[in-house]
């Protein structure tokens, strides 16, 4: 996979540019909790940014499909740096609470969606190849390594340098990394209007003149619900671990404990990419997701038994191991279900759903931690994944791409018929 022509030109800058994604919400939580003293308010402000990100990200993905990634990304990273600066200023100047929520909206809405753009580049270069599963796993490893590094770095900056240092670093890296990534124009997928103009081009989508939303595909909506539950795991664990480490008087280990959770996720992603699967992705998702629910239940149970950091850390690793197979399979499936001209949008719907789940998870966990104790917040991942599992089971038939004798999405596992002499 790494020998694919042009791969390194977007992998390295893409890795740098995606680092801030894991720093944004936890940096907001740490800054707002420092200035207000409330985990509930910190989680709510962070959730506001996450909701804005979830709602706007698919629209920016659709624009990237239509006009090109660079045309969307360059103005986006400048706006993001400015809006994050406004949020930091509002928090440090003790602005009214409503001002924090207002400032959080553009800060989240302008967050650059680098990971979906990298995935779209892989899909364009590996179209129809079995290496797409490997690429999906590789991207999940990269994402989870980001969630190992990001929270640890943000926590270290916020607790060791200044409460606003995490957001300042997030904005700076977003700007520099985003501009370097946008400069790699040779590997970006052709915009829809350009692809439509190239007769016989392999990546030209059907009906390119009138692109439709990726959410018009029923299976895509089911996958959005699945990753929404995974997002609640991320958000619930972030805030609950922050509250837990505060309650035992060791706030400095918060980033380490969340990093251990993300490390389990990363290790499982490596395994998923290395295994040659005999079962299809639909079956794998329906097997892996119940395991995630069970792991979330064990974490919630352990949190009610006592303030045992080692036990929670070990079970956090377990839940991380269960997240990766579900996440990778969702991203593999979406590529088989949607048309080629809607891939970036489809990937941003999934990453946006993760952000929305993070927002909901951090809000609920923060309120529970404020009113019922740090351990109660760990019930949030269980509730989110449990509801998502019910949706998966009820609408599992929508996860199979239609055949009808032709390729609907040119995805993994399908081959285009060609004439043979």
């Amino acid at each position: 996979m790494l020998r694919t022509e042009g791969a390194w030109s977007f992998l390295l800058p893409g890795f740098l540019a995606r680092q801030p994604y894991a720093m944004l919400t936890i940096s907001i939580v740490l800054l707002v909790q420092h200035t207000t003293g409330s985990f509930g308010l910190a989680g709510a402000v962070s959730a506001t940014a996450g909701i804005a990100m979830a709602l706007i990200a698919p629209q920016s993905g659709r624009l990237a499909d239509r006009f090109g990634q660079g045309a969307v990304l360059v103005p986006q990273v400048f706006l993001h740096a400015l809006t994050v600066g406004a949020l930091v200023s509002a928090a440090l100047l003790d602005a009214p609470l409503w001002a924090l929520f207002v400032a959080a909206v553009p800060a989240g809405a302008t967050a650059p969606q680098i990971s979906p753009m990298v995935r779209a580049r892989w899909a364009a270069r590996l179209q129809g190849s079995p290496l797409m599963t490997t690429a999906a796993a590789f991207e999940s490893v990269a994402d989870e390594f980001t969630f190992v590094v990001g929270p640890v770095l943000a926590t270290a900056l916020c607790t060791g340098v200044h409460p606003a240092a995490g957001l300042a670093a997030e904005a700076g890296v977003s700007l520099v990394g985003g501009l370097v990534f946008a400069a790699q124009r040779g590997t970006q997928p052709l915009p829809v209007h350009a692809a439509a103009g190239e007769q016989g081009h392999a990546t030209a989508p059907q009906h390119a003149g009138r692109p439709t939303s990726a959410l018009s595909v029923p299976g895509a909506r089911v996958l959005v619900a699945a990753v929404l539950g995974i997002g609640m795991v991320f958000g619930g664990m972030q805030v609950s671990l922050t509250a837990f480490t505060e309650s035992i008087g060791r706030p400095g280990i918060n980033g380490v404990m969340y990093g251990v959770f993300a490390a389990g996720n990363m290790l499982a992603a490596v395994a998923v990419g290395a295994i040659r699967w005999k079962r299809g992705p639909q079956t794998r998702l329906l097997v892996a997701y119940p395991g995630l629910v069970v792991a979330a239940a064990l974490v919630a149970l352990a949190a009610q038994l006592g303030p045992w950091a080692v036990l929670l850390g070990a079970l956090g690793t377990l839940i991380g191991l269960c997240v990766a197979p579900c996440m990778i399979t969702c991203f593999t499936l979406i590529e088989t279900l949607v048309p080629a001209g809607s891939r970036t949008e489809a990937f941003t719907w999934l990453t946006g759903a993760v952000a929305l789940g993070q927002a909901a998870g951090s809000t609920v966990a923060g309120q529970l931690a404020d009113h019922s104790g740090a351990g109660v917040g760990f019930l949030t991942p269980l509730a989110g994944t449990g509801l998502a599992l019910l949706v998966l089971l009820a609408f599992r038939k929508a996860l199979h791409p239609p055949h009808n004798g032709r390729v609907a999405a040119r995805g993994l596992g399908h081959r285009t018929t060609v004439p043979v002499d």
Side-chain angles (χ1 to χ4, degrees):
M1 182 199 69
L2 293 176
R3 289 195 296 268
T4 301
E5 183 181 358
W8 286 103
S9 68
F10 64 84
L11 277 182
L12 293 179
F15 180 75
L16 171 66
R18 80 176 73 197
Q19 296 305 312
Y21 187 81
M23 299 173 63
L24 180 62
T25 54
I26 193 169
S27 295
I28 293 175
V29 167
L30 293 170
L31 174 61
V32 176
Q33 194 277 330
H34 172 80
T35 57
T36 66
S38 170
F39 284 107
L41 290 177
V45 174
S46 175
T48 302
I51 291 171
M53 185 191 305
L55 295 178
I56 300 301
Q59 310 313 317
S60 66
R62 195 171 188 182
L63 290 173
D65 281 326
R66 208 169 164 193
F67 300 108
Q69 294 181 359
V72 174
L73 189 57
V74 171
Q76 190 175 36
V77 294
F78 280 105
L79 286 173
H80 184 64
L82 291 174
T83 54
V84 168
L87 176 58
V88 170
S89 299
L92 294 180
L93 294 174
D94 293 325
L97 185 59
W98 62 264
L100 294 179
F101 285 100
V102 170
V105 173
T110 57
Q113 301 296 310
I114 301 298
S115 180
M117 292 184 179
V118 174
R119 292 175 187 271
R121 294 188 187 213
W122 278 124
R125 304 193 81 77
L126 298 176
Q127 184 170 340
S129 167
L131 284 175
M132 266 306 300
T133 299
T134 308
F138 181 85
E139 286 306 305
S140 290
V141 172
D143 285 341
E144 294 320 313
F145 187 75
T146 297
F147 277 96
V148 172
V149 175
V152 176
L153 178 60
T155 302
L157 290 171
C158 290
T159 58
V161 179
H162 189 276
L167 279 177
E170 188 274 342
V173 177
S174 288
L175 180 60
V176 175
L179 291 176
V180 174
F181 180 79
Q184 314 306 312
R185 297 182 180 274
T187 55
Q188 71 174 355
L190 279 177
V192 167
H193 61 80
E198 291 196 8
Q199 296 296 325
H201 195 285
T203 60
Q206 297 175 9
H207 310 297
R210 47 182 183 86
T212 58
S213 171
L215 278 192
S216 63
V217 179
R221 299 194 292 269
V222 177
L223 293 176
V224 165
V227 297
L228 187 67
I230 295 173
M232 290 193 71
V233 174
F234 289 131
M237 291 292 287
Q238 272 187 351
V239 174
S240 297
L241 286 173
T242 302
F244 171 77
T245 54
E246 288 277 355
S247 70
I248 63 174
R250 301 183 65 188
I253 68 169
N254 170 45
V256 176
M257 290 193 70
Y258 191 81
V260 167
F261 155 73
N265 201 347
M266 182 179 66
L267 292 174
V270 173
V272 171
I275 295 173
R276 291 183 176 270
W277 297 99
K278 296 181 179 180
R279 299 286 184 179
Q282 297 84 1
T283 302
R284 299 203 305 269
L285 183 60
L286 294 174
V287 171
Y289 217 94
L292 176 59
V293 176
V294 171
L298 291 175
V299 170
L301 177 61
Q304 312 314 309
L305 296 178
W308 300 326
V310 175
L311 177 60
L312 275 179
L315 291 176
T317 305
L318 175 63
I319 196 172
L321 289 169
C322 294
V323 164
C326 300
M327 183 78 84
I328 292 169
T329 308
C330 287
F331 276 98
T332 303
L333 270 173
I334 197 77
E335 197 269 335
T336 72
L337 295 173
V338 302
S342 300
R343 281 181 183 144
T344 306
E345 182 201 351
F347 291 139
T348 50
W349 273 115
L350 293 192
T351 55
V354 173
L356 184 60
Q358 279 184 307
S362 61
T363 302
V364 173
Q367 295 295 330
L368 290 174
D370 275 348
H371 295 96
S372 304
V376 181
F378 288 98
L379 293 171
T380 305
L382 175 60
T385 53
L387 291 173
L389 178 60
L390 293 178
V391 174
L392 274 177
L393 294 176
F395 300 100
R396 58 188 180 277
K397 291 184 179 179
L399 299 177
H400 294 271
H403 296 288
N404 299 327
R406 54 187 303 184
V407 177
R410 291 177 178 249
L412 178 65
H414 300 286
R415 296 184 180 180
T416 306
T417 302
V418 294
V420 178
D421 186 354

